[in-house]
Amino acid sequence: MLPVENQPTKILIVDDDPVSRILMEEILKTEGYSISWLTDGDELLQRLPEIQPHILLLDVLMPGSNGFDLCRQIKADPRWQHLPIVLVTSLNTDQELETGLDAGADEFISKHVSATELRARVRSMRRVKQRYDLLLRIAQMREDLAQMVVHDLRTPLSVSMMRTDILLKMIDQEKIQVTHTLSNGSKFSLKDSLLGIKNQMEKLTLQVDEILFLAKKDQDELVSDRALKDL
């Protein structure tokens, strides 16, 4: 779900240590963020759709599911793949860094981080989330435009093609010969004009179908349906 324009950035802090949690909350409040907090990883998984944070600060060492496991589960869900997750750790080892990156973490901060660094890291994640949301909105607008163009053009094109075919059949059945001479002396018949119109409408129909094809391809909606056919 996209955040509403001008809505305060929602930050969710998940940490069972009240001192660390309160410290981070007080530091970030000065930036005008909307702060929520939880103390349990299992509750996080349950309430994530309800809270819908824009940035998640997740403690690594907690009872039950640790931050690595939670990060891995959250990033495996398509709804939260682009939720910036900042792991809050007190270990600061290369092995922990590698494990966190493998789990899908976007950033790390130490529990002893300075207020300046914490605010800077969160601002960086906020910019990442805003860029992703902007790209998502642009993609949605592109899809909506493609659907609008396709559906608004397909019906009048189909009707025009059908009526043109009817007129061509009437000309052939009634053997109507209508010609017109232009000022430059060139001549054209009514049938030739209708065939030219039909040809252009067929080209436009192909372009509309191509727009729909590209839109479905971008949205991964194309499904291959292979089957044996008697030609």
Side-chain angles (χ1 to χ4, degrees), residues 30-225:
T30 61
E31 298 287 294
Y33 301 130
S34 173
I35 311 292
S36 302
W37 56 268
L38 299 172
T39 61
D40 179 80
D42 295 331
E43 186 181 7
L44 165 64
L45 296 177
Q46 294 175 3
R47 297 192 58 193
L48 200 54
E50 169 198 339
I51 300 174
Q52 295 195 11
H54 301 145
I55 300 172
L56 176 61
L57 298 180
L58 182 60
D59 186 24
V60 170
L61 300 178
M62 290 188 297
S65 299
N66 62 42
F68 297 134
D69 293 336
L70 291 168
C71 183
R72 196 172 290 109
Q73 292 180 65
I74 292 170
K75 290 292 187 175
D77 189 328
R79 295 174 298 173
W80 310 113
Q81 285 179 347
H82 298 281
L83 170 65
I85 298 180
V86 181
L87 290 180
V88 183
T89 174
S90 57
L91 301 179
N92 293 323
T93 65
D94 291 341
Q95 180 62 43
E96 186 184 37
L97 176 63
E98 181 180 356
T99 303
L101 291 174
D102 289 341
D106 299 279
E107 185 61 276
F108 289 83
I109 58 172
S110 169
K111 282 204 170 186
H112 307 292
V113 70
S114 67
T116 301
E117 183 179 354
L118 175 60
R119 286 193 288 263
R121 297 287 179 89
V122 171
R123 280 197 296 267
S124 174
M125 290 297 98
R126 181 172 177 264
R127 287 192 294 269
V128 169
K129 186 67 169 63
Q130 287 175 334
R131 287 168 184 162
Y132 166 72
D133 290 339
L134 176 60
L135 291 174
L136 199 58
R137 281 195 291 270
I138 292 173
Q140 185 63 53
M141 290 172 61
R142 178 182 174 185
E143 181 185 1
D144 292 343
L145 179 61
Q147 294 294 337
M148 180 186 69
V149 169
V150 167
H151 293 296
D152 287 353
L153 287 180
R154 179 162 286 176
T155 298
L157 272 174
S158 299
V159 173
S160 299
M161 291 275 287
M162 180 182 66
R163 293 186 176 181
T164 303
D165 284 335
I166 293 173
L167 288 172
L168 287 169
K169 288 180 181 178
M170 290 175 60
I171 290 174
D172 288 336
Q173 291 172 356
E174 301 295 331
K175 297 181 179 180
I176 299 172
Q177 297 292 331
V178 179
T179 59
H180 182 70
T181 303
L182 297 177
S183 59
N184 60 5
S186 62
K187 295 181 179 181
F188 67 91
S189 67
L190 175 60
K191 182 176 180 179
D192 289 339
S193 297
L194 290 174
L195 287 172
I197 292 172
K198 180 181 178 181
N199 178 260
Q200 295 302 315
M201 287 191 295
E202 287 175 343
K203 290 181 179 179
L204 185 55
T205 299
L206 290 175
Q207 291 176 354
V208 169
D209 289 340
E210 186 175 354
I211 292 173
L212 181 60
F213 173 83
L214 292 175
K216 288 184 175 293
K217 183 179 178 182
D218 288 344
Q219 297 299 318
D220 295 327
E221 293 180 4
L222 288 178
V223 178
S224 179
D225 184 14

